Amino acid sequence: MPVNDNIVLMTIWVPNIEAAAGPIYLAIADALEADIRAGALAQGDRLPPQRELAYRLGVTLGTVTRAYGEAERRRLVRGETGRGTFVAPESQTVSPLIPQEDEARSVDLARNFAYPHLNPSLSEGLRRMAATAGIDRLNGFVPSEGLKAHRETGVLVFRDYGLEADLARVAVTCGAQHGIQVTCQALFRPGDAVAVDRFTYPSIFPLLAGLGLKPVPVPALVRSDGGFGAMDPDALARAAATHGIRGVFLMPNMQNPTTHTMSLEERKDLVKVARQADLRIVEDDPYTPFLPETLPAFGALAPERTASIASISKVCSPGSRIGFVHVPAAYGDSIRNKIGESTWMASPITAELIAGWVREGHLFKTLRLKRKANRQRFLDARDLLAPHVLQSGVNKVFGWLRLPETVDPDALQSALAHQGVSVLSSRYFQAKGRASAPFVRVTFGSEPSDDRFRWALGRIGATIAEMADMSDLTRPVG
């Protein structure tokens, strides 16, 4: 009898979770990781379907969905549409946050691409560059910190971030993420612990780990409306005393993912703790230009200990890969070295493109268009996702959606993906092994079509209602 190559045998795997003390889904994921490490499960083994494993364990389908989702986040398994879930190879799979050239066209409310369809005309920018006298000088090596003219552009950009930057302390980087990398390398040593928000920028966890740094999640204050505020300064002080942290990573404006913008008082409270505990501050502020009012940056409030990062990727040109860092004077040579060691220099060609756009006022024009589009997108999201609370605002390019306690964020993300809508569960914004909280992030600007955006919001609202109703039906009575 011929063998069908498309048929993959399923591994009969049932974890022992009887002694689990914490959340069941984490116990399943931990057991899966242990069995892979022990060799009981091999690369390419197909795991039982989620519904079948739920039946065998006597748990809900949502619990197994969360367990498989956590395992995928740990890069232990990979899901293949129509085929099942498989033990992943040792080499890492591509993150779902990274776009693929040939990926299926879903409505993207997961990745935070802030209205790239409204960016300035690249062809016009390149024509302007081609006509610039002496342009060929950019086709060679330049200092690792960048040319003076391009660093002067950084000074102008930082002004919009609430920081009067010192030209001698500005360097050009290959975008904000490269800026985070080199500043952390300059400010910290392998083995140091760095405080981060409980919910924070997803890439900070692998970035810190790759540098040999230990992230220490710190809870946020709770606002009077029940939303998340700034990092709790008292909790930061306790973390400094308990974990010996050497620094703190902060997003003071439009924090990702909670959208909170720190008040001046919140900034001063955190600076006070940083000075008392001698913490170095890394502030990342990619969304600041979208806000109508700019408060003083940490680089202005605590210049002796703050490395500030600015980027124009969200504003006008992610393809240019240009960002800027502003560091304390004592770390200037270290920053130059770290940029040189990692990539020698940011491209002076694309830095010149950005400098021209800044000089000609294209950043302001682009921001005006994006703010107008974002205002309507936020209003649509607020109305179509009601009665669920969306922490966001008219000038914020994403929202942090609170779910009913009975709706699992991982299961919601998975259910929406099957309908052609992508969002991100709270687990992407937390340290590994933490239980998912009842939130998903919804971005406003990655989908060009207003009609498709509103349709996707409708699917989110309807799916939440369906999952909440199903949970009510299965809840024990009495």
Side-chain angles (χ1 to χ4, degrees), residues 4 161 285 288 395:
N4 186 339
Y161 285 69
D285 253 354
T288 300
N395 295 301

Side-chain angles (χ1 to χ4, degrees), residues 330-346:
Y331 297 99
D333 288 342
S334 183
I335 278 290
R336 295 183 188 97
N337 288 335
K338 297 308 178 185
I339 293 173
E341 291 164 6
S342 60
T343 187
W344 183 269
M345 62 188 183

Side-chain angles (χ1 to χ4, degrees), residues 72-414:
E72 189 164 3
R73 188 173 78 91
R74 299 182 192 182
R75 295 175 177 168
L76 301 171
V77 302
R78 69 178 190 278
E80 297 184 10
T81 303
R83 299 187 71 232
T85 302
F86 298 83
V87 176
E90 290 186 6
S91 59
Q92 295 182 350
T93 58
V94 176
S95 166
L97 294 174
I98 298 176
Q100 305 297 305
E101 187 172 7
D102 57 350
E103 65 185 351
R105 182 78 169 93
S106 64
V107 184
D108 186 2
L109 275 60
R111 291 176 294 209
N112 203 12
F113 303 154
Y115 304 94
H117 56 287
L118 298 178
N119 285 341
S121 169
L122 179 59
S123 60
E124 291 179 8
L126 293 175
R127 279 194 293 269
R128 183 260 305 160
M129 283 182 60
T132 301
I135 191 65
D136 285 342
R137 80 188 190 284
L138 302 180
N139 199 26
F141 288 105
V142 302
S144 294
E145 68 270 24
L147 293 171
K148 180 182 178 182
H150 299 156
R151 291 187 289 112
E152 287 173 343
T153 301
V155 171
L156 294 176
V157 171
F158 273 118
R159 193 167 293 160
D160 289 335
Y161 285 69
L163 174 62
E164 290 296 330
D166 178 354
L167 178 63
R169 294 161 56 189
V170 172
V172 186
T173 65
C174 300
Q177 189 152 334
H178 180 232
I180 297 171
Q181 174 191 327
V182 294
T183 54
C184 286
Q185 287 178 307
L187 269 61
F188 308 116
R189 294 181 179 181
D192 283 351
V194 179
V196 299
D197 286 295
R198 177 194 170 193
F199 300 106
T200 191
Y201 172 51
S203 295
I204 195 64
F205 296 110
L207 188 152
L208 292 178
L211 299 178
L213 304 174
K214 178 186 176 184
V216 177
V218 176
L221 297 166
V222 178
R223 305 186 321 202
S224 59
D225 62 1
F228 291 97
M231 181 182 289
D232 185 336
D234 293 335
L236 177 61
R238 289 193 296 271
T242 304
H243 298 283
I245 62 174
R246 299 300 303 276
V248 55
F249 175 80
L250 296 168
M251 302 185 75
N253 296 305
M254 207 184 308
Q255 196 268 353
N256 186 8
T258 69
T259 80
H260 179 70
T261 294
M262 294 184 192
S263 67
L264 180 58
E265 193 65 28
E266 287 174 325
R267 296 168 197 240
K268 288 181 177 179
D269 288 344
L270 288 168
V271 166
K272 181 179 179 181
V273 174
R275 285 186 167 135
Q276 289 174 340
D278 193 22
L279 305 180
R280 296 155 196 164
I281 301 170
V282 177
E283 67 171 333
D284 181 29
D285 253 354
Y287 311 106
T288 300
F290 286 92
L291 302 177
E293 297 179 359
T294 303
L295 291 170
F298 279 95
L301 296 173
E304 81 284 358
R305 63 184 61 252
T306 301
S308 304
I309 298 159
S311 168
I312 49 76
S313 291
K314 301 294 192 254
V315 180
C316 73
S317 180
S320 69
R321 304 315 305 140
I322 292 297
F324 304 96
V325 296
H326 182 261
V327 300
Y331 297 99
D333 288 342
S334 183
I335 278 290
R336 295 183 188 97
N337 288 335
K338 297 308 178 185
I339 293 173
E341 291 164 6
S342 60
T343 187
W344 183 269
M345 62 188 183
S347 168
I349 299 172
T350 52
E352 178 63 25
L353 175 71
I354 297 306
W357 276 337
V358 171
R359 288 194 301 265
E360 296 168 7
H362 286 292
L363 262 66
F364 175 78
K365 296 174 186 176
T366 302
L367 272 171
R368 186 173 57 193
L369 290 173
K370 292 189 176 186
R371 285 170 175 165
K372 181 179 178 181
N374 192 77
R375 178 182 179 85
Q376 188 57 54
R377 289 281 177 100
F378 162 73
L379 294 174
D380 287 341
R382 183 196 62 185
D383 294 344
L384 291 171
L385 294 175
H388 311 296
V389 175
L390 182 70
Q391 184 166 328
S392 187
V394 293
N395 295 301
K396 298 182 177 181
V397 295
F398 53 91
W400 190 231
L401 181 64
R402 180 183 291 274
L403 305 176
E405 293 290 339
T406 55
V407 174
D408 182 280
D410 299 311
L412 175 64
Q413 177 182 320
S414 178

